[in-house]
């Protein structure tokens, strides 16, 4: 399974960005996909999940501003609006052939290479 990310960059506070992740080789009928970010000096934080039935969840830190979507098991997206300087981080897409991942248990098996998002005030 391979995940290749694109998107990201620098944007002013209040702006928008879209992150994309092309997924190849994920053949499982049941799966979890997600976006994880890591800010400088902080631990990794999972911010959104989406599962095979298209159900989704967003963390409180991004709810109402970010939206996770997917195209089957081929692509994963994160639309980010109303960006804040606190959103500055390296963002990773991730996938796992289990549908049981959630905020307390998110040891994804496969990861993208990461992409930098910088939000300036």
């Amino acid at each position: 399974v391979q995940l290749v990310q694109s998107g990201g960059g620098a944007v002013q506070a209040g702006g928008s960005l879209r992150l994309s992740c092309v997924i190849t080789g994920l053949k499982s009928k049941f799966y979890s996909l997600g976006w994880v970010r890591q800010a400088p000096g902080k631990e990794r934080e999972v911010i959104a999940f989406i599962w095979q039935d298209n159900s989704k969840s967003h963390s409180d830190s991004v709810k109402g501003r970010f939206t996770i979507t997917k195209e089957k098991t081929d692509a994963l997206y994160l639309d980010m609006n109303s960006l804040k300087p606190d959103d500055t981080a390296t963002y990773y897409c991730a996938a796992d052939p289990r549908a049981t991942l959630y905020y307390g248990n998110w040891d994804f098996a496969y990861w993208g290479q990461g992409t930098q998002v910088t939000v300036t005030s």
Side-chain angles (χ1 to χ4, degrees):
V1 178
Q2 291 189 325
L3 289 77
V4 179
Q5 297 179 226
S6 60
V11 65
Q12 287 191 329
S16 300
L17 285 173
R18 174 177 245 211
L19 304 183
S20 300
C21 178
V22 174
I23 304 169
T24 55
L26 184 62
K27 304 299 184 184
S28 178
K29 180 179 179 181
F30 300 98
Y31 54 84
S32 304
L33 305 177
W35 288 97
V36 178
R37 70 183 181 185
Q38 186 167 24
K42 295 188 177 180
E43 294 185 353
R44 285 191 177 185
E45 172 194 16
V46 60
I47 59 172
F49 289 93
I50 190 166
W51 294 276
Q52 71 283 344
D53 62 355
N54 226 31
S55 59
K56 60 184 74 174
S57 177
H58 300 84
S59 69
D60 289 343
S61 60
V62 306
K63 194 174 296 182
R65 300 187 300 120
F66 293 9
T67 303
I68 186 172
T69 55
K70 68 176 180 69
E71 292 180 10
K72 298 182 181 180
T73 59
D74 301 323
L76 182 67
Y77 305 100
L78 185 69
D79 290 295
M80 304 184 292
N81 299 309
S82 302
L83 281 159
K84 306 174 183 179
D86 283 350
D87 295 319
T88 295
T90 300
Y91 285 72
Y92 300 88
C93 60
D96 195 280
R98 298 170 292 173
T100 56
L101 272 63
Y102 203 60
Y103 294 101
N105 171 30
W106 50 277
D107 55 337
F108 288 101
Y110 309 106
W111 292 79
Q113 79 275 21
T115 188
Q116 179 66 35
V117 171
T118 302
V119 184
T120 58
S121 57

